[in-house]
Amino acid sequence: MRIFRILIAKPGLDGHDRGAKVVAHALRDAGFEVIYTGLRQTPEQIVRTAVQEDVDLIGLSILSGAHLQLSKKVIELLKKEGIEDVPVFVGGIIPQDDVPQLLQVGVKKVFGPGTPLSEIVQEVKSILQEGVTKTGGA
Amino acid sequence: MYDKEFLRNLSEKAKTWEEQLQAELRKFPERSEKFSTRSGIEIKRVYTPLDLEVMDYLKDLGMPGEYPFTRGVQRTMYRGRFWTMRQYAGFGTAEETNNRFKYLLQQGQTGLSVAFDLPTQMGYDSDHPLAQGEVGRVGVAVDSLRDLEILFDGIPLKDVSTSMTINSTAVILLAMYAVTAQKQGAEISELRGTIQNDVLKEYIARGTYIFPPQPSMRIITDIFEFCSKNMPKWNTISISGYHIREAGADAVQELAFTFCDGIAYVEAAIKSGLDPNVFGKQLSFFFAAHNNFLEEIAKFRAARRIWAKIMKERFKVTNPEALKLRFHTQTGGSTLTAQQPLNNIVRVALQALSAVLGGTQSLHTNSFDEALGLPTEESVQVALRTQQIIAYESGVADTVDPLAGSFAIESLTNEIEQKVWEYIEKIDSLGGMVRAIETGYVQKEIHNSAYEQQVAVEKKEQIVVGVNAFQTKQEHQMKNILKVDPSVEERQITTVRKLKVERDNNAVRGTLKDLKEAAKDGKNIVPYVFDAVRAYATLGEISDTLREVFGEYTESMIL
Amino acid sequence: MEHKTLAKLITQIENNPEVAPQILQQFPEHQSKVIGFTGSPGVGKSSLIDRVIRYIRTRDLSVAVVAIDPSSPFTRGAFLGDRIRMREHFVDDNVFIRSMASRGALGGLCDAIFDVVKLLEVSGFDYVLVETVGIGQSEIEISHLVDVTVLVLSPGFGDEVQMLKAGVMEIADLYVVNKSDLPESDTVYSQLLAFLALAGKSEQQLCKASTHANNGVREVVEKIERLWESFYADGTIERRRKRRTRYHAEHIVRKIVEQAMNTVQENATNPYEFVKLALSRLCENHLRGGQGGGI
Ligand SMILES: Nc1nc2c(ncn2[C@@H]2O[C@H](COP(=O)(O)OP(=O)(O)O)[C@@H](O)[C@H]2O)c(=O)[nH]1
Ligand SMILES: [Mg+2]
């Protein structure tokens, strides 16, 4: 079985990385290779990392309230780099009202506070599996 | 505490009781094979005097207001005066905040409390790319002395006491505050107030650090030294366990890591020539109140005893005032659930009660809808009413330390203390807190604890009502959060850009160059920061100057 | 080469080393200065590499970095965090950073690393820096992969003495005592000095650095360059590269043999028969699979 690589990134100026780290930990324990780049990453840094590391999925942890701007920027840059096929997940303090907008700009999945780790791992697995069957494996 | 004969009899009796119980347990087993708290303290079926066999009332508890202060730092505690019900909220521009301050002062309030936005906390000007979208969001935006002049316009700083929640850039805000006061004609020696200035917890919990730990400690030491000579009424540090707990630590870790931070600061103060007998009086602490009611009460009681011992035994402090642990408490934001939010009122009430039974000096109660977004006026009021009900209706404030002598509470207090000492020894063996942070040890301990807790909730080993048990069908609705007026950012950027053109830029360059030299040469940087501030160098420029000398901290990989 | 293309090729090699020869033959030969950094976790390898990149970039040369961290033997998952310390270079087009997990390979290197380094070389980078966690034997492994091996040490990691005893330290070309801002680093420095004298190495092979205070990095880079030049001049690099080819081949052969042996297992009753079966299976596979590259 192929091993998938996931980028967990934490944009925004705040220092609250408890959630990002816990999710990174859970994904590692679920058999993924997790690339973690730490606090306060700009969308440019995140996307360059995604390019160089050739990741299969990007998880953004956003608690600053700027999730709309940041997600949009990241997805724009992914397009610019020609890797918009990499699915983007967003987790954090996201009001229900903003979810449709996030999905509309191209976010694949939004996880609000208190989402069980098992659910996140399951979603990641299924979306990556889906990608593999679509492209006939890589 | 008890005589030998009595304990022997009791021991026999207890043995028989246990034996008889076994038969019963086979028929009616308990809910769980083992009961324990999150910090790994096993909770016994029943506590008796046997558990307090080695306890010595005078030595371990003492009278209220007396060493080791287990029962409280005052003799009469809440019979004299209730704890301070301190609810802080609100933010905006310097002008808006200034108006609110003036109103509060008219109402007879003498203390002001300022929160700053993230760019200010991180040492970036409002026009820095990283500040985009963050200006004025979680507090006032400050770029230069000019913003503080506006913030405190018409407020006589010599007559008020101001608390500033600021850490990595505390030296700059302190200088701005002092220079603003000087411009009003005040002597800085008269100024009263507090800066949080607890940078060590930023590395392990809150994340708004700038420089590596060693230079950060150097700046803190410079502040201690400067203030002791020039601003003796200023409280130079407030040591926080709250953020450590919220980052995932358990109760024991909260105390242990907070006290290890405290030890590092006291050592730094002594190194800079301060007398801990004097300095110790100015230390204040900040803890969280979480869900396990008994453990939390025991935690607060143990905290006072441990800190008094640290100051007395480790730092040879003799002044009783400098042995007292005074603390502010806030209920646990991370314990609030988005599901069935009204349940949070009950959680907050229990947590607040534990803080009161634990003898807190002041208390902030969270609003029940905080997990959903910005609190409403109604929820803020319920939070305050919760404190008032505890104070005025419950009766728990009418006697000092009412739970003292409970076999369970005293046992837990002892056990927590024991476990905290073990952690402190561990940190000592790693070469102290700064070193332990540099190696990532502390961060790893906290992260593992956070992870374990999350797993426990998912396995339902830990029940969170409404989340993994007793759920209702009804979907919870997240409300809108932190909508800030985007014009604040624009205005702030225009102002700071204009300032950079209008001021005497030669003077700015000169003072920044001097600051850089001072930082390099190991001189006390505080007077140089004052000069730069006075010349209207911006917070970002001053921070960048220090970044050039000290470098920037990058977090340690902790998994 | 575009970073995106390069990154995808690395993934292909990583997931299936057999494709490496085909990929590599598409590019003209190019040789980079391949430098390995090893040492215990936490001594400051990533921080040092960050500084080294910064220094190399001031001279407008290009750099690729491969940082290898261990995979969990149980879940196969890994946490790759070395990049954190190199974030300043993320948006620099002349710096390419790639994290790799060891994926079960012994000795701290991953199976694909030889081909990945080769790919980075033919992509035209001036420098290729390889970071590996030093756990005993892996220092020896990395010295088989790179032109110059740098062993990073720092105070507070008592295992140095262990390594001295095991003779593992012998293989490094340059010894860097990092964290020289810490007073205890002087002790480590003098211990090393004594060790080098005993091992018949030159004092020139030792230097101090502090990535925090940004001291000594220039010296580290200059020493690396001087070593590389002299190794190049006296044929050491050429010898080492031949050894690398052989070592890589050995890796591949070992894998092939292992696979052949895995197919026999139960059928054999004694070791000689086992060998016979394994070898015949091996020949069959080899005939069927042609020359094949890695495994
Ligand atoms: N005091 C000090 N600490 C350093 C220095 N270089 C790195 N560190 C710290 O050492 C720890 C490990 O650094 P890292 O580069 O991740 O080490 P690696 O595991 O060898 O790659 C981090 O906390 C760094 O901040 C230095 O020059 N001085
Ligand atoms: Mg590293």
Side-chain angles (χ1 to χ4, degrees):
Chain A
M1 231 282 285
R2 168 168 164 211
I3 300 177
F4 290 103
R5 295 160 62 82
I6 296 175
L7 172 61
I8 297 292
K10 174 78 194 63
L13 262 194
D14 66 284
H16 302 296
D17 56 2
R18 174 178 176 171
K21 284 173 173 167
V22 165
V23 168
H25 193 147
L27 289 170
R28 182 196 64 182
D29 286 357
F32 295 99
E33 289 178 359
V34 181
I35 293 134
Y36 180 67
T37 46
L39 293 173
R40 290 183 275 278
Q41 294 287 289
T42 63
E44 286 80 7
Q45 287 176 313
I46 292 168
V47 171
R48 298 298 299 213
T49 296
V51 169
Q52 296 179 359
E53 300 289 355
D54 190 25
V55 293
D56 300 291
L57 185 137
I58 301 172
L60 301 175
S61 165
I62 310 177
L63 296 100
S64 68
H67 42 269
L68 279 174
Q69 296 100 299
L70 288 168
S71 312
K72 218 171 128 197
K73 190 81 203 276
V74 166
I75 286 169
E76 266 170 33
L77 290 169
L78 288 175
K79 283 196 185 123
K80 214 174 113 198
E81 296 278 356
I83 53 165
E84 64 271 25
D85 54 326
V86 179
V88 176
F89 283 15
V90 173
I93 307 177
I94 317 287
Q96 212 66 46
D97 291 353
D98 293 348
V99 174
Q101 245 177 302
L102 282 170
L103 297 176
Q104 212 235 314
V105 300
V107 171
K108 269 271 151 25
K109 190 88 203 169
V110 180
F111 298 111
T115 312
L117 292 173
S118 50
E119 185 184 325
I120 296 176
V121 169
Q122 208 37 57
E123 289 287 346
V124 166
K125 277 187 177 158
S126 73
I127 200 148
L128 290 175
Q129 238 13 80
E130 203 177 282
V132 168
T133 36
K134 244 198 322 228
T135 60
Chain B
M1 284 239 296
Y2 304 91
D3 78 57
K4 287 220 169 65
E5 177 65 26
F6 166 76
L7 287 172
R8 209 167 23 243
N9 285 339
L10 179 60
S11 169
E12 305 256 308
K13 177 90 190 98
K15 219 156 95 200
T16 331
W17 184 81
E18 282 283 346
E19 280 162 12
Q20 290 166 349
L21 186 66
Q22 289 315 311
E24 213 176 303
L25 284 177
R26 273 191 289 277
K27 253 199 273 171
F28 307 104
E30 293 176 326
R31 279 182 288 121
S32 168
E33 248 168 50
K34 221 175 119 180
F35 292 77
S36 56
T37 70
R38 249 247 289 149
S39 53
I41 294 173
E42 189 169 344
I43 301 293
K44 289 176 146 188
R45 178 171 297 120
V46 65
Y47 293 87
T48 67
L50 288 169
D51 295 292
L52 304 180
E53 199 178 338
V54 292
M55 201 160 104
D56 176 335
Y57 181 86
L58 286 177
K59 203 168 119 281
D60 297 322
L61 299 181
M63 294 307 284
E66 287 176 12
Y67 188 83
F69 307 102
T70 315
R71 306 205 57 183
V73 289
Q74 291 124 5
R75 287 176 202 282
T76 61
M77 285 304 287
Y78 310 133
R79 285 168 69 99
R81 201 164 55 76
F82 288 128
W83 60 94
T84 307
M85 300 175 196
R86 197 196 293 162
Q87 301 288 98
Y88 43 79
F91 18 80
T93 61
E95 286 97 340
E96 285 162 4
T97 315
N98 175 261
N99 282 334
R100 201 174 58 245
F101 283 171
K102 281 182 181 154
Y103 169 78
L104 290 171
L105 292 172
Q106 270 165 19
Q107 302 297 306
Q109 186 168 323
T110 51
L112 301 176
S113 173
V114 197
F116 299 94
D117 70 0
L118 282 165
T120 306
Q121 295 182 43
M122 286 300 301
Y124 297 120
D125 286 340
S126 300
D127 59 348
H128 191 282
L130 278 173
Q132 210 189 332
E134 302 277 10
V135 177
R137 198 183 270 278
V138 298
V140 193
V142 174
D143 292 314
S144 74
L145 179 60
R146 193 155 291 171
D147 293 306
L148 246 71
E149 289 168 352
I150 297 168
L151 186 63
F152 294 112
D153 179 52
I155 297 169
L157 293 185
K158 69 174 175 27
D159 299 329
V160 297
S161 146
T162 305
S163 155
M164 297 196 273
T165 306
I166 193 74
N167 294 279
S168 293
T169 50
V171 66
I172 304 172
L173 268 306
L174 176 70
M176 286 181 178
Y177 186 86
V179 172
T180 306
Q182 283 174 331
K183 289 198 158 184
Q184 291 180 351
E187 295 287 335
I188 61 169
S189 59
E190 305 170 291
L191 299 179
R192 284 175 304 119
T194 308
I195 41 178
Q196 193 166 68
N197 203 20
D198 174 8
V199 182
L200 290 179
K201 66 104 172 39
E202 298 294 334
Y203 300 107
I204 57 180
R206 192 165 164 274
T208 62
Y209 43 74
I210 302 176
F211 315 111
Q214 308 271 5
S216 289
M217 286 303 288
R218 139 104 188 271
I219 298 173
I220 290 171
T221 315
D222 285 355
I223 295 174
F224 288 169
E225 191 187 38
F226 178 89
C227 288
S228 75
K229 286 186 194 132
N230 304 291
M231 300 173 69
K233 294 179 183 166
W234 195 268
N235 291 320
T236 48
I237 199 152
S238 161
I239 308 165
S240 310
Y242 181 81
H243 310 93
I244 295 174
R245 187 69 179 274
E246 288 288 298
D250 60 41
V252 166
Q253 290 170 327
E254 178 189 3
L255 289 194
F257 296 149
T258 307
F259 289 150
C260 288
D261 286 346
I263 289 169
Y265 296 133
V266 174
E267 280 170 354
I270 292 173
K271 211 173 91 193
S272 69
L274 304 184
D275 178 359
N277 279 295
V278 180
F279 178 72
K281 286 189 298 190
Q282 292 179 359
L283 290 176
S284 64
F285 289 82
F286 174 20
F287 292 114
H290 273 219
N291 284 335
N292 192 317
F293 188 67
L294 300 180
E295 187 181 37
E296 291 299 285
I297 297 168
K299 175 188 84 179
F300 295 121
R301 299 176 79 250
R304 276 189 296 272
R305 187 156 77 205
I306 297 167
W307 186 247
K309 285 187 189 171
I310 290 173
M311 290 302 271
K312 186 171 179 185
E313 288 161 18
R314 191 169 183 132
F315 296 114
K316 311 291 173 228
V317 167
T318 50
N319 177 358
E321 286 307 307
L323 298 172
K324 291 181 181 175
L325 173 104
R326 298 177 185 81
F327 64 95
H328 171 67
T329 307
Q330 182 174 336
T331 55
S334 64
T335 65
L336 304 185
T337 63
Q339 295 87 343
Q340 306 177 27
L342 286 175
N343 296 348
N344 293 327
I345 298 178
V346 183
R347 291 193 180 98
V348 168
L350 285 167
Q351 294 168 3
L353 183 58
S354 76
V356 170
L357 291 171
T360 193
Q361 273 59 62
S362 62
L363 180 60
H364 172 108
T365 33
N366 289 55
S367 303
F368 66 84
D369 51 0
E370 267 171 41
L372 301 172
L374 269 190
T376 60
E377 208 168 297
E378 187 195 21
S379 66
V380 171
Q381 195 179 65
V382 171
L384 179 60
R385 295 290 177 265
T386 305
Q387 295 202 37
Q388 289 160 338
I389 290 168
I390 294 172
Y392 295 95
E393 296 185 8
S394 76
V396 295
D398 298 346
T399 181
V400 177
D401 189 24
L403 297 192
S406 145
F407 307 124
I409 288 286
E410 296 298 357
S411 296
L412 283 175
T413 306
N414 293 343
E415 275 194 79
I416 287 178
E417 178 180 357
Q418 191 49 44
K419 282 181 167 268
V420 170
W421 286 125
E422 283 164 20
Y423 252 123
I424 293 176
E425 270 170 38
K426 171 78 191 170
I427 300 285
D428 281 342
S429 77
L430 292 174
M433 195 56 165
V434 172
R435 203 48 73 73
I437 289 171
E438 281 176 345
T439 60
Y441 168 80
V442 184
Q443 295 90 313
K444 196 169 182 149
E445 289 289 300
I446 295 173
H447 166 76
N448 283 342
S449 185
Y451 188 66
E452 278 163 23
Q453 194 200 1
Q454 183 65 31
V455 171
V457 170
E458 294 191 16
K459 286 190 184 153
K460 302 198 182 185
E461 289 163 6
Q462 191 183 328
I463 294 299
V464 183
V465 173
V467 174
N468 63 1
F470 316 110
Q471 297 101 317
T472 43
K473 277 275 157 336
Q474 197 189 343
E475 270 284 311
H476 58 279
Q477 281 289 312
M478 293 281 295
K479 298 177 308 176
N480 283 334
I481 45 169
L482 302 181
K483 281 261 152 66
V484 277
D485 179 0
S487 71
V488 174
E489 186 161 322
E490 279 164 40
R491 246 180 303 153
Q492 200 70 28
I493 292 176
T494 321
T495 318
V496 69
R497 294 221 166 122
K498 202 159 138 240
L499 171 88
K500 283 181 188 169
V501 177
E502 286 172 359
R503 66 188 178 180
D504 177 353
N505 275 306
N506 274 332
V508 171
R509 270 191 295 276
T511 55
L512 289 178
K513 190 166 157 280
D514 292 347
L515 171 62
K516 190 170 175 179
E517 291 305 314
K520 265 192 200 154
D521 297 348
K523 289 190 196 149
N524 191 319
I525 62 165
V526 182
Y528 296 91
V529 176
F530 269 66
D531 290 342
V533 159
R534 214 175 270 121
Y536 290 94
T538 65
L539 173 115
E541 289 166 337
I542 297 173
S543 303
D544 281 344
T545 304
L546 296 175
R547 278 187 183 99
E548 279 172 39
V549 182
F550 297 139
E552 283 182 83
Y553 178 74
T554 312
E555 65 210 89
S556 278
M557 200 192 87
I558 44 80
L559 292 189
Chain C
M1 201 188 316
E2 250 194 27
H3 283 182
K4 181 185 153 194
T5 319
L6 179 55
K8 299 240 175 250
L9 291 178
I10 294 179
T11 307
Q12 284 182 27
I13 293 178
E14 199 179 18
N15 287 340
N16 182 13
E18 269 181 53
V19 301
Q22 273 160 291
I23 291 174
L24 289 169
Q25 71 183 13
Q26 298 168 25
F27 299 95
E29 272 292 320
H30 174 268
Q31 197 168 322
S32 316
K33 293 179 179 168
V34 184
I35 317 294
F37 292 79
T38 190
S40 308
V43 293
K45 299 178 293 296
S46 303
S47 312
L48 184 63
I49 289 177
D50 168 58
R51 294 284 181 173
V52 168
I53 301 173
R54 205 185 295 186
Y55 189 77
I56 294 174
R57 289 295 298 133
T58 60
R59 290 186 292 154
D60 212 26
L61 298 171
S62 60
V63 197
V65 177
V66 194
I68 304 164
D69 279 311
S71 302
S72 155
F74 308 108
T75 66
R76 306 203 301 163
F79 186 79
L80 311 173
D82 294 309
R83 278 186 88 90
I84 292 184
R85 305 202 172 273
M86 306 169 200
R87 56 210 301 175
E88 173 180 322
H89 312 288
F90 288 2
V91 293
D92 182 342
D93 283 333
N94 289 301
V95 178
F96 180 92
I97 303 166
R98 179 67 173 230
S99 316
M100 289 177 85
S102 62
R103 297 202 177 171
L106 295 170
L109 293 178
C110 44
D111 288 337
I113 189 69
F114 292 92
D115 291 316
V116 169
V117 166
K118 190 80 204 155
L119 177 64
L120 292 169
E121 287 200 79
V122 297
S123 308
F125 287 99
D126 297 307
Y127 275 91
V128 174
L129 312 180
V130 182
E131 172 179 346
T132 63
V133 176
I135 22 180
Q137 286 301 307
S138 60
E139 280 85 0
I140 296 174
E141 279 244 352
I142 194 174
S143 74
H144 286 133
L145 171 71
V146 300
D147 299 333
V148 176
T149 304
V150 180
L151 180 61
V152 186
L153 303 111
S154 79
F157 292 84
D159 47 7
E160 266 77 54
V161 186
Q162 271 324 105
M163 285 159 61
L164 276 174
K165 279 190 196 140
V168 179
M169 292 219 338
E170 305 263 343
I171 51 87
D173 302 305
L174 184 65
Y175 299 80
V176 178
V177 178
N178 186 38
K179 308 195 187 180
S180 63
D181 52 301
L182 304 178
E184 312 93 279
S185 65
D186 289 339
T187 325
V188 180
Y189 189 84
S190 30
Q191 280 173 354
L192 261 160
L193 212 54
F195 162 76
L196 288 181
L198 272 176
K201 299 202 176 204
S202 141
E203 232 174 84
Q204 284 302 311
Q205 288 173 276
L206 176 60
C207 53
K208 271 189 200 183
S210 168
T211 65
H212 277 188
N214 200 10
N215 277 332
V217 179
R218 186 200 172 110
E219 198 194 336
V220 170
V221 179
E222 283 173 356
K223 284 200 165 165
I224 289 173
E225 289 194 312
R226 229 172 295 145
L227 280 167
W228 196 90
E229 298 297 342
S230 75
F231 287 168
Y232 190 78
D234 70 8
T236 306
I237 300 262
E238 204 189 326
R239 261 203 318 280
R240 287 191 177 176
R241 284 184 173 243
K242 280 190 183 142
R243 191 181 62 183
R244 169 168 136 195
T245 307
R246 191 201 137 95
Y247 194 75
H248 184 191
E250 225 176 279
H251 247 256
I252 298 169
V253 169
R254 215 172 320 152
K255 267 254 156 142
I256 296 173
V257 170
E258 210 170 274
Q259 280 182 350
M261 287 179 70
N262 284 346
T263 58
V264 204
Q265 268 163 18
E266 278 91 46
N267 307 346
T269 50
N270 68 62
Y272 304 102
E273 191 189 343
F274 196 119
V275 171
K276 225 158 97 189
L277 281 168
L279 285 180
S280 68
R281 196 62 52 88
L282 197 88
C283 294
E284 267 170 50
N285 287 353
H286 194 66
L287 284 178
R288 221 182 321 124
Q291 296 306 310
I295 291 296

